[in-house]
Amino acid sequence: MGSYINPGNAAFEMSRLSDIYIDKSMLIAKVNKAYRTEQRFICVSRPRRFGKSMAANMLSAYYSRGCDSEDLFAGLEIEQDASYRKHLNQHNVIRIDVQQFLFQESHLDVFIGEIQNAVMQELAEVSDHWSAEYLENPYGLPGALEQIYAHTGKGFIFIIDEWDCVFRLAKNHKDIQKEYLNFLRGLFKGREYVELAYMTGILPIKKYGEHSAINIFREYSMLKPRQLAPYFGFTEAEVQKLCKERGVDYTKTQKWYDGYLLGDLHIYNPHAVAELMMDGDFQSYWTGTETYEALKVYIDMNFDGLKEAVIEMLGNVPCKIDPTTSQNDMTSFKSKDDVLTLLVHLGYLAFDATSEKVFIPNREIAQEYLRAVKMGGWDGLAQSLERSEHLLESTWAMDGDAVAQAMAAIHSETSSILKYNSENSLTCAILIAYYSAKAYYMNPLLELPSGKGYADVVYLPKRNVDKPALVVELKWNKSAQGAIAQIKERKYASWVENYTGEILLVGISYDENKGHACIIERCSLCHLTG
């Protein structure tokens, strides 16, 4: 066994011995189906701490010659699969963690050569299997592997972890990125010695224009997980079982860490759940990986509509995106959609493939956004969000003057980031003002009219929450009474259909001469609709 050639099973053994271990071994059955087929090139991209390396270690332990992993897989689901015995410790594996060769910028000029030298050196050390003369090849590692396969008929399974770290460390070095992609293309494309190639990373494969630079790989990502979705993190059933075993409140766990929607599955960040189960503390475990400073860089970018989209998502309103324009790197941004797509890959947003909308998945990630906002020069937004709880209580108390004063403060505090006479910004103003409503109400219902100068939002209470529904209208250079009249005239029957409780109509106005005013009226559905 070596570090790169048939590395053995020690890394996977540590996972099996860990306090929290979830059986993801049926991933092996999915990968086995690709063995020596046209689909044998697999690239799996998911955020940090979502189990990428554990999966790579498991596959290495399963396929590698030179070790006996039967005891490690005893009792796991894969043991019952028909393909299990056929491949168990039967293959030559080349296992590369690219980050080991590229953990600082000074390595950029040499890391490709170092990867080849390290693998070639280990091949030479086991030259009783592969003649040393095969390794003296002007075409480097691909040439050597081609010679070995030609003379022995034996191929290799490649398992490459952190394949994309080049694009994260060398963000602005396009020449090095291309050289690296050319190396991977030469290593894999058209090579019969490749029995299987499994790559993991945070980013999908880099595109140049509309095309992938390594188009032989079938990609499984946070945008398109395909049939590998259950292996991207912990599923609801797995977390429910852990909570029951450890005596942890599942409902609270769900609010903190659920939210990544992969197909029909809700997926949890496995690192956060494992830390919770061991420590018992509900908190953000994200800061130790991608910190809020990294998030701040992206949400501060000067793309039209980006800040409004972030504010809306903080207010629990999903944002529709077109992810197809993304170039799958960390610098080639042409629109807010490209930035938001990257945040999906980094784990800062979840993606609903049915609606093609992104949203902040849970409370853990929402805290990272709030941290980024506080430190990011979003003048006054953090203070405005902190005012929200008091404003909501004033609304329930039907204290229009207090609501008007709070809106005036929010207007002043956020004037540098919101153009208050535009439709989107009026909606953002309501979402900022009623940010705290997310604890009591379902996702707000928005309708943006065609004309400028007003915006409206409906909040319906969550099940078993004894609070009134809110119909909020904000008008520019109109009266608060006019806002209430607008609500009644437009008749919101379809918005509050099947709702039978109390409704508060909240009319908020802003006049450039008179400032803010607010009128709140109580009514029922029948009064609102007829």
Side-chain angles (χ1 to χ4, degrees):
M1 294 186 296
S3 299
Y4 312 107
I5 309 297
N6 297 329
N9 56 25
F12 181 56
E13 183 180 28
M14 286 190 284
S15 297
R16 289 288 277 125
L17 294 174
S18 296
D19 186 27
I20 303 294
Y21 176 78
I22 296 294
D23 183 0
K24 296 291 181 178
S25 62
M26 287 305 290
L27 171 65
I28 294 170
K30 300 290 186 184
V31 176
N32 280 347
K33 291 181 179 179
Y35 175 76
R36 292 197 65 82
T37 70
E38 294 293 337
Q39 291 75 46
R40 67 191 186 278
F41 298 97
I42 298 169
C43 183
V44 179
S45 57
R46 41 184 150 158
R48 288 185 185 276
R49 300 300 182 94
F50 267 69
K52 296 186 299 295
S53 295
M54 193 285 288
N57 293 335
M58 178 180 70
L59 292 171
S60 292
Y62 173 71
Y63 287 119
S64 287
R65 292 181 187 273
C67 65
D68 183 355
S69 300
E70 186 168 359
D71 288 346
L72 284 179
F73 288 98
L76 299 185
E77 287 185 70
I78 187 60
E79 200 177 23
Q80 306 303 317
D81 188 80
S83 68
Y84 172 65
R85 293 286 172 188
K86 179 179 178 181
H87 297 288
L88 180 64
N89 300 133
Q90 297 298 307
H91 299 278
N92 293 314
V93 170
I94 297 178
R95 168 78 157 90
I96 301 170
D97 182 345
V98 178
Q99 196 163 260
Q100 291 181 353
F101 295 88
L102 190 59
F103 51 87
Q104 61 188 41
E105 198 166 351
S106 62
H107 299 152
L108 287 172
D109 292 333
V110 299
F111 81 99
I112 295 175
E114 290 300 314
I115 290 174
Q116 296 191 82
N117 291 338
V119 176
M120 295 272 280
Q121 182 176 337
E122 283 202 5
L123 287 172
E125 290 171 358
V126 290
S127 58
D128 54 323
H129 293 86
W130 303 300
S131 175
E133 66 188 68
Y134 304 158
L135 306 179
E136 297 175 3
N137 194 291
Y139 296 101
L141 180 59
L145 297 177
E146 196 75 60
Q147 287 293 308
I148 290 171
Y149 180 74
H151 287 84
T152 68
K154 296 185 182 298
F156 296 85
I157 288 178
F158 292 81
I159 299 174
I160 299 183
D161 199 10
E162 300 284 359
W163 87 271
D164 64 322
C165 70
V166 179
F167 300 95
R168 291 183 270 123
L169 186 63
K171 293 179 183 179
N172 299 306
H173 296 266
K174 302 298 183 184
D175 54 335
I176 291 173
Q177 293 177 15
K178 287 186 178 181
E179 183 183 358
Y180 175 62
L181 288 172
N182 286 335
F183 164 64
L184 293 180
R185 185 186 296 109
L187 187 62
F188 294 130
K189 194 162 188 176
R191 303 295 190 178
E192 292 184 12
Y193 60 70
V194 182
E195 297 176 333
L196 183 72
Y198 181 94
M199 295 201 311
T200 74
I202 295 175
L203 300 175
I205 292 173
K206 162 72 179 173
K207 291 191 288 187
Y208 288 109
E210 297 178 355
H211 304 288
S212 169
I214 317 176
N215 57 11
I216 56 175
F217 278 84
R218 184 171 176 82
E219 295 198 69
Y220 302 80
S221 70
M222 298 298 283
L223 292 172
K224 199 168 185 178
R226 308 178 197 264
Q227 71 269 27
L228 297 190
Y231 312 108
F232 271 63
F234 290 174
T235 65
E236 283 182 296
E238 291 164 346
V239 176
Q240 285 173 343
K241 182 179 178 182
L242 280 173
C243 287
K244 185 176 181 180
E245 292 172 349
R246 303 273 174 147
V248 176
D249 185 336
Y250 173 70
T251 301
K252 192 173 181 180
T253 302
Q254 193 176 34
K255 290 178 181 178
W256 268 89
Y257 306 112
D258 184 18
Y260 295 98
L261 190 62
L262 274 62
D264 296 329
L265 293 177
H266 282 258
I267 296 295
Y268 291 67
N269 178 339
H271 171 70
V273 172
E275 291 292 327
L276 168 67
M277 295 301 153
M278 291 186 291
D279 296 343
D281 293 331
F282 288 93
Q283 58 177 292
S284 174
Y285 294 100
W286 200 264
T287 307
T289 55
E290 287 281 342
T291 63
Y292 68 84
E293 288 96 341
L295 175 60
K296 173 185 172 297
V297 168
Y298 298 112
I299 65 175
D300 277 351
M301 288 187 171
N302 188 28
F303 289 108
D304 189 40
L306 177 58
K307 289 189 175 182
E308 288 84 354
V310 171
I311 290 172
E312 289 183 10
M313 288 187 290
L314 280 170
N316 276 9
V317 178
C319 175
K320 192 172 184 65
I321 67 166
D322 176 7
T324 62
T325 62
S326 172
Q327 296 301 298
N328 295 337
D329 63 19
M330 305 183 85
T331 56
S332 302
F333 305 115
K334 295 182 179 179
S335 69
K336 73 176 178 66
D337 285 0
D338 293 344
V339 177
L340 298 180
T341 300
L342 174 63
L343 294 181
V344 172
H345 295 307
L346 294 177
Y348 285 116
L349 291 175
F351 178 70
D352 183 342
T354 302
S355 64
E356 295 186 329
K357 291 182 178 180
V358 293
F359 54 94
I360 297 173
N362 52 47
R363 186 172 175 181
E364 179 185 40
I365 302 303
Q367 285 197 350
E368 297 307 310
Y369 277 89
L370 293 176
R371 249 186 223 108
V373 164
K374 287 179 181 178
M375 302 296 292
W378 289 40
D379 295 342
L381 180 58
Q383 296 94 310
S384 295
L385 293 175
E386 290 171 359
R387 293 181 185 277
S388 176
E389 186 71 34
H390 177 68
L391 182 144
L392 184 60
E393 292 173 355
S394 298
T395 302
W396 291 332
M398 299 182 65
D399 187 343
D401 290 341
V403 172
Q405 290 174 12
M407 284 301 304
I410 290 171
H411 185 173
S412 174
E413 289 164 352
T414 60
S415 59
S416 65
I417 59 173
L418 294 179
K419 299 175 182 177
Y420 258 74
N421 59 347
S422 71
E423 295 169 14
N424 285 346
S425 294
L426 290 175
T427 302
C428 287
I430 295 176
L431 295 173
I432 292 170
Y434 286 92
Y435 172 76
S436 294
K438 64 198 303 181
Y440 311 94
Y441 294 87
M442 296 184 288
N443 289 356
L445 304 171
L446 272 64
E447 182 175 342
L448 291 177
S450 57
K452 292 186 177 181
Y454 59 92
D456 33 52
V457 183
V458 173
Y459 291 91
L460 295 178
K462 295 178 180 179
R463 187 175 299 177
N464 301 322
V465 172
D466 186 21
K467 298 295 181 184
L470 306 178
V471 181
V472 186
E473 178 121 358
L474 175 60
K475 296 183 75 69
W476 184 266
N477 280 344
K478 301 288 183 180
S479 69
Q481 190 60 57
I484 294 289
Q486 182 79 55
I487 294 173
K488 293 177 178 179
E489 289 169 9
R490 299 185 70 196
K491 298 183 180 180
Y492 285 75
S494 62
W495 292 59
V496 290
E497 188 176 2
N498 300 323
Y499 175 73
T500 58
E502 185 180 61
I503 300 171
L504 294 183
L505 310 184
V506 184
I508 304 171
S509 67
Y510 174 73
D511 184 284
E512 292 179 345
N513 297 315
K514 299 179 181 179
H516 291 79
C518 176
I519 295 176
I520 303 173
E521 291 187 7
R522 180 184 285 114
C523 73
S524 64
L525 181 60
C526 62
H527 293 130
L528 184 58
T529 60

